[in-house]
Amino acid sequence: MLGRWRNTSLNWLSQNILFRDLLTYTNKVRASIGLRSSSRSFFDVTYPFLYLAGTVPAFEYPRRDLPPQVHCLKHAS
């Protein structure tokens, strides 16, 4: 319970304080190419076709809500 409160608080802080200017800039760029603005965090945006996560699965927390278009880097053997 305390962990969820901490994560919710840190998420709010990052979106509304730390990265507010990034969201403003992202929405200006979106508007310049004819897209509507978004309230989603820059880091939460996924694309409908493919998203390459810059990590390997072993570094990620297990998630049931990961969209199928998200792929992690493969380990080179």
Side-chain angles (χ1 to χ4, degrees), residues 62-75:
R63 293 181 54 180
R64 288 183 287 239
D65 63 341
L66 198 63
Q69 71 269 21
V70 175
H71 297 273
C72 292
L73 300 172
K74 299 278 185 190
H75 179 274

Side-chain angles (χ1 to χ4, degrees), residues 8-73:
T8 300
S9 299
L10 290 174
N11 188 41
W12 183 90
L13 177 71
S14 68
Q15 287 187 15
N16 294 290
I17 306 295
L18 299 174
F19 295 112
R20 180 179 46 208
D21 292 343
L22 179 60
L23 181 60
T24 300
Y25 175 75
T26 300
N27 282 327
K28 284 182 185 178
V29 172
R30 290 175 61 89
S32 75
I33 59 173
L35 296 175
R36 59 188 163 100
S37 64
S38 174
S39 61
R40 295 181 68 188
S41 165
F42 175 81
F43 299 106
D44 290 339
V45 175
T46 57
Y47 299 95
F49 303 108
L50 176 65
Y51 182 80
L52 299 174
T55 187
V56 295
F59 290 157
E60 288 296 309
Y61 291 106
R63 293 181 54 180
R64 288 183 287 239
D65 63 341
L66 198 63
Q69 71 269 21
V70 175
H71 297 273
C72 292
L73 300 172

